[in-house]
């Protein structure tokens, strides 16, 4: 068990286990006492290094200054003043502390962390040499190498929605005092020792995924653009959607993408829990959790079902997407480049209730839903299953719908090829024009060229709009609501 906890990088539990074993030693095991002492000191060193390594250079110097005043002999009888020559780095510091104070160096470190107001590090250490049962985390709640706090340890904070234009992604603002906090919208967690204020917005992984896969990673959580306005965040924890029970060596198989002015940086995670990937002393910009590409763990998904009303048949598109808030704004509803990116269910004349099930390997049922007749009425502009694809009424005397939302369509339609196919099939584009537009390097360039070809022909714009309604229904519905 000690070896397992060491491999899982849980020095706090390793230390607790050894101290518990010491108390339960029997007389016949007296010959193992020297070995037990060595094991205890090794666990103490690992435990202290785990916490001291989280101090930045200035805090490390402050920690050493707190060591210099001699404590009372009744509290720390072995404490002495150490010369600077003995402490060149953090490893030297821990070695000297353990040599002088043994297991008492843990309580000594706790005392210094209290003076430094580092409550976050204080929680990583047992509260006393004799009271190991007071530690807040038990062996049964170990989460594969991370010091995971219960959700009740985090104070939920409701963000404020900043005013944005209809064509921009919403931005959220947050403020907090010192402590441990969690955003109620994004699930983002942060630890601070002073008042902080920051803002964030959800971003799309589209445009980043190919680069990440070339470096051996895939997205494991939402991509967030974070800017700190005031104060300093000591640790940030990004939400992820991976089932960690299937992931070996969590810290090695998770990383954090940091997109800054100098390009992509893959940072090593300092903490991985069942729900979050953590970084200490983070530098903020565009951040997102990543998982190793070379294993396929189970992931948490939302099931979205869309159907087309006012038809005699029933055709449903069933999407499985990770719980990424940014995907709610993405018109393709896909986390990667898979094609098709949905399951299609077609029933010619549905006249009774039926069930949808999602099965894992070996027929393990992982999702179930009953679809009732009333969920897909044959008439009406909306239904219980998803978004409406009701035809948008175009008044000839007013600006056409596609002209009114030209720039938004150019920016948000990413899968242009099906649109081009529809325009070609409906004789809006000739073969030569179709080939020329397809050869353009970006979706924005392709759409601008499509608009230039449509010109003032409202009939062609009507066809273009009907194709967008079929291929991008939730985008058109979103724009329709904003009219």
């Amino acid at each position: 068990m000690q070896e397992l906890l060491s491999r899982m990088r849980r020095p706090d539990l390793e230390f607790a286990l050894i101290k518990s074993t010491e108390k339960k030693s029997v007389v016949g095991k007296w010959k193992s006492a020297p070995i037990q002492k060595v094991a205890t000191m090794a666990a103490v060193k690992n435990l202290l290094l785990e916490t001291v390594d989280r101090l930045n250079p200035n805090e490390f110097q402050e920690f050493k200054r707190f060591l210099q005043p001699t404590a009372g002999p009744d509290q720390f009888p072995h404490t002495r003043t150490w010369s600077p020559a003995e402490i060149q780095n953090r490893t030297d510091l821990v070695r000297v502390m353990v040599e002088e104070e043994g297991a008492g160096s843990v309580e000594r470190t706790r005392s210094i962390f209290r003076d430094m107001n580092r409550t976050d590090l204080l929680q990583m250490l047992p509260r006393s040499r004799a009271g190991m049962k007071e530690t807040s985390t038990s062996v049964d709640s170990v989460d594969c190498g991370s010091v995971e706090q219960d959700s009740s340890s985090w104070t939920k904070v409701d963000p404020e929605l900043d005013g944005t234009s209809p064509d921009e992604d919403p931005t959220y603002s947050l403020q907090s005092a010192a402590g441990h906090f969690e955003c109620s919208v994004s699930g983002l967690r942060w630890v601070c020792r002073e008042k902080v204020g920051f803002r964030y917005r959800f971003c799309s992984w589209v445009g980043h995924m190919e680069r990440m896969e070339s470096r051996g990673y895939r997205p494991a959580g939402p991509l967030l653009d974070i800017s700190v306005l005031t104060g300093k965040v000591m640790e940030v924890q990004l939400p992820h959607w991976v089932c960690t029970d299937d992931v070996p060596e969590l810290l090695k198989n998770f990383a954090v993408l940091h997109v800054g002015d100098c390009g992509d940086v893959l940072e090593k995670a300092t903490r991985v829990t069942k729900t979050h990937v953590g970084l200490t002393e983070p530098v903020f910009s565009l951040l997102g959790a990543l998982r190793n590409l070379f294993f396929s763990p189970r992931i948490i998904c939302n099931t979205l079902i869309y159907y087309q009303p006012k038809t005699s048949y029933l055709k449903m598109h069933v999407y499985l997407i990770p719980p990424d808030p940014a995907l709610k704004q993405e018109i393709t509803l896909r986390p990667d480049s898979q094609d098709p990116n949905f399951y299609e269910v077609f029933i010619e004349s549905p006249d009774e209730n039926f069930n949808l099930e999602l099965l894992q390997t070996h027929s393990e049922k992982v999702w179930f839903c009953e679809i009732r007749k009333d969920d897909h009425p044959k008439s009406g502009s909306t239904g219980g299953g998803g978004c409406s694809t009701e035809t948008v009424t175009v008044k000839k005397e007013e600006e056409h719908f596609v002209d009114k939302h030209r720039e938004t369509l150019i920016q948000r339609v990413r899968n242009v090829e099906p649109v081009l196919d529809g325009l070609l099939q409906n004789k809006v584009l000739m073969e030569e024009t179709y080939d020329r537009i397809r050869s353009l390097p970006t979706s924005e360039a392709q759409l601008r060229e499509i608009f230039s070809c449509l010109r003032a022909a409202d009939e062609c714009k009507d066809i273009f709009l009907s194709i967008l309604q079929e291929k991008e229904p939730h985008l058109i519905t979103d724009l329709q609501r904003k009219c």
Side-chain angles (χ1 to χ4, degrees), residues 222 399 407 412 423:
E399 184 180 20
E407 290 306 313
R412 294 181 63 181
L423 293 174

Side-chain angles (χ1 to χ4, degrees), residues 276-302:
H276 289 77
V277 177
L279 285 177
T280 55
E281 299 184 5
V283 176
F284 288 106
S285 64
L286 207 59
L287 297 177
L290 299 170
R291 66 170 176 86
N292 196 310
L293 177 65
F294 300 104
F295 67 90
S296 298
R298 292 177 296 168
I299 65 172
I300 301 168
C301 282
N302 290 329

Side-chain angles (χ1 to χ4, degrees), residues 81-140:
T81 301
W82 299 308
S83 67
E86 291 180 274
I87 304 177
Q88 298 296 324
N89 51 47
R90 298 161 200 255
T91 303
D92 290 342
L93 175 96
V94 170
R95 175 183 54 80
V96 172
M97 288 184 67
V98 174
E99 287 177 356
E100 291 298 318
E101 301 182 26
S105 56
V106 175
E107 184 59 29
R108 174 70 163 152
T109 303
R110 281 184 54 84
S111 176
I112 295 174
F113 284 159
R114 279 194 295 268
D115 293 336
M116 294 175 64
N117 197 28
R118 286 302 302 265
T119 56
D120 55 323
L121 299 182
L122 200 62
Q123 294 175 359
M124 298 175 60
L125 298 173
R127 296 184 182 177
S128 67
R129 296 174 60 184
M132 296 306 299
K133 292 183 179 179
E134 297 177 6
T135 55
S136 60
T137 309
S138 68
V139 176
D140 291 337

